[in-house]
Amino acid sequence: MARRKKPVKRFSRTMRVKLMALFSVFLAALCFLIGKLMYIEHTKGEKYEKKVLSMQSYDSKTIPYQRGEITDRRGTVLATSVAVYNVILDCSVMTDKKEYIGPTINALLEYFPELDREELEGYAAEKKTSRYIVLARKVPYEQVQPFIEMQAEVDKKGNKINPDIKGVWFEKEYQRNYPYGSLASAVIGFTSDGDVGVCGLENYYDEILNGVNGREYGYLNADSDMEKTVISAQDGNTLVCSIDATIQSIAEKKISEFNEAYRDNYYEGEGSENAAVIVMNPNSGEVLAMAESPGFDCNDPRNLKDYYTEEEIEKLTDKQQMNILNRLWQNYCVTETYEPGSVQKPFTVACGLETGTVKDKMSFKCDGYEMFGTERVNCVVRAGHGRESVRQSLMDSCNDAIMQMSYKIGKKNFLEYQSIFGFGQRTGIDQPGEANTSALVHKLEKITPVDLATNSFGQNYNCTMIQMAAGFCSLINGGGYYQPHIVTKVMDSSGNTISTVEPKLVKQTVSESTSAQIRDYLYDVVTNGTGGVAKVDGYSMGGKTGTAQKQPRDREQYLVSFIGFAPYENPQVMIYCIVDEPNVKDEAHSYFAQNIVREIMEEVLPYLNIYPDEKKTGVNKGLDVTGENAQCTGRHQPVKKKKWKTSKLETNE
């Protein structure tokens, strides 16, 4: 009997529809995923590739960038980054075979004798799987290179001579280096770990100087072969400065010689509380030198041994040390304020000439003082100068005549021009921490007659050195106020110019005729007046002395100064020097600042190819500030009277 076949089950029409629908959904989802992957690969593929590679541990390392250099105007490198190396031990490779351990440790000790054998043997015994052990940091290239050459040595057949030295490699990084140590230290600044600028240009242009690290990724591809992707580092940009290293070194040397000459004369300490110099091109606002004392070594900025004994340092708290360092690192020429004294007088005269309230032919009777109620404000000559012309008032630095001019000028005109000359305003110089002096000058609604009178000769208001220097440049260059600046160009790591900082003419302070008249007056100040000590033989010069009595007035301590220029008719160099509390019994004399200016000018003018334009006279040689005779004469004789027990760098908590 034939066996009956089982009936074949067939999907119903409904079931087939459902299966087709489900298949269509899966197919649509698959298409969507493929499309999404293609979109991601197209738009963000590189980003995700980096993420994946960064998570893989196969031979991935950072490629450090090189921070940009800082050079002077002639290309002299003032700050650079030099390659140094960390010595790295891959213990897993060194211990892969027992015969590698001894030769590798012996080689390390031979080429890097500062390492410890017991420590290396401990790594081999206890950290066999460690792939990254830092044995030494910031080793110079000169010490690393012999080891590399030894590893690469081969015999005549091309076989390695030292095949058993394994697991040692070198991690490259950069260390900031300042070839000239303390030269222009406050202007340049320094960096902390991680290439962070702390002060000076290093801080102000931190982002421009820094670059971007690169990366080398090692990973396994689909065929399990090792592949490498390298993203190169982007090095930082280079700053070209207006600073001239030669002029800077001359200025610093003369300040140092002054301090040495007057050290421990009247009190125990330096030749002054502070001494500083600014040298500028008056026709562009470029700063050629900015020097002060004391400086610091940019390569070792936290070293206080030049200022304190080891016993004194040990007694200082961490907070005291930090206060001292912060003050040491500041750029005095930009961050500190003071009453300028009689260097203000040319500004007062210029204001009078511009507003028409003072005329060249006017004269004023100086009887030695002016009275404001019961308050007496003295002239430098208590008995009075007698009849003084405008020119003579500057030549003799007559307070009385200048005060009488201020009455004619009036407080509104005076304060307006004080603002025009830049007092009470930041100059915008490319240095961090510029002082804000807006609250240190008088307002129209609050200034009193005695305030106006004393402001006219530089007392009872505060400024910074860079404010005074920038404003004075406008007085002598025809009236153009240029923003003072230090960086003149930015270049990339290949030497291509990225940007150029052109002189920025901010405003016109006075007319050309007023500027010419002021230059003429100031020429006589140096030739026949109080500024004769600053005169450089053979050169026409102009300038103004300053003697400011510091507060409280009864201490009889002074900040003395001189601001000058050369040549007289076409100024090419402006120089401003202050000496705060000269280390002598009788401080109130600008000779100290004048001497420093003259000695700097004697070297700088020939260096800049500025030729003598006057007959040599053989006069106004000034005071000797070096050697055994480094002192004033007569009533200015320095006398040892008291010990100065507190360092000038120390600050209270």
Side-chain angles (χ1 to χ4, degrees), residues 392-602:
Q392 288 170 326
S393 70
L394 290 177
M395 290 170 60
D396 297 333
S397 200
C398 177
N399 290 351
D400 197 348
I402 294 293
M403 284 190 283
Q404 293 176 53
M405 289 183 209
S406 74
Y407 311 152
K408 293 182 175 293
I409 292 169
K411 59 183 182 180
K412 183 177 180 181
N413 283 333
F414 182 85
L415 293 180
E416 180 184 352
Y417 270 83
Q418 195 175 43
S419 176
I420 288 172
F421 291 129
F423 298 114
Q425 306 162 16
R426 288 190 175 100
T427 64
I429 188 171
D430 44 353
Q431 285 281 284
E434 183 177 7
N436 181 358
T437 60
S438 59
L440 302 178
V441 295
H442 289 282
K443 307 300 181 186
L444 182 61
E445 61 274 11
K446 293 185 177 181
I447 191 169
T448 65
V450 69
D451 291 331
L452 175 61
T454 52
N455 274 204
S456 69
F457 61 82
Q459 297 272 189
N460 285 327
Y461 85 89
N462 278 38
C463 71
T464 63
M465 285 191 72
I466 193 61
Q467 281 178 340
M468 179 59 69
F472 187 81
C473 284
S474 76
L475 278 186
I476 63 173
N477 70 8
Y481 184 100
Y482 288 92
Q483 182 176 0
H485 62 282
I486 295 174
V487 170
T488 59
K489 186 188 296 185
V490 178
M491 300 191 302
D492 65 19
S493 57
S494 300
N496 303 308
T497 298
I498 296 175
S499 63
T500 301
V501 181
E502 299 293 343
K504 184 178 180 181
L505 180 60
V506 178
K507 54 190 170 183
Q508 190 79 12
T509 60
V510 295
S511 63
E512 290 189 8
S513 60
T514 296
S515 176
Q517 185 70 75
I518 293 296
R519 287 200 307 272
D520 193 47
Y521 290 158
L522 296 181
Y523 174 79
D524 271 353
V525 170
V526 172
T527 305
N528 301 302
T530 59
V533 172
K535 180 74 165 64
V536 177
D537 212 6
Y539 288 89
S540 64
M541 290 179 59
K544 184 68 189 76
T545 55
T547 305
Q549 187 174 8
K550 298 178 68 174
Q551 296 192 27
R553 310 296 186 199
D554 57 4
R555 287 195 312 162
E556 295 189 356
Q557 292 180 313
Y558 295 83
L559 182 146
V560 298
S561 59
F562 180 81
I563 191 164
F565 59 94
Y568 147 65
E569 290 187 344
N570 182 25
Q572 299 298 306
V573 180
M574 188 289 309
I575 184 167
Y576 181 32
C577 173
I578 66 104
V579 178
D580 185 5
E581 297 184 25
N583 190 350
V584 294
K585 183 178 181 180
D586 187 1
E587 298 178 2
H589 303 282
S590 65
Y591 305 147
F592 310 106
Q594 290 190 61
N595 269 294
I596 294 173
V597 168
R598 188 193 70 256
E599 292 188 354
I600 293 172
M601 284 290 218
E602 284 175 342

Side-chain angles (χ1 to χ4, degrees), residues 265-309:
N265 276 336
Y266 180 54
Y267 53 75
E268 186 179 282
E270 294 287 334
S272 64
E273 181 74 8
N274 292 290
V277 169
I278 294 178
V279 183
M280 290 178 66
N281 179 345
N283 304 303
S284 66
E286 292 181 357
V287 177
L288 304 179
M290 192 174 271
E292 63 182 277
S293 176
F296 60 90
D297 186 350
C298 296
N299 294 303
D300 191 13
R302 291 176 173 81
N303 184 0
L304 291 175
K305 293 181 180 179
D306 289 340
Y307 316 103
Y308 295 90
T309 64

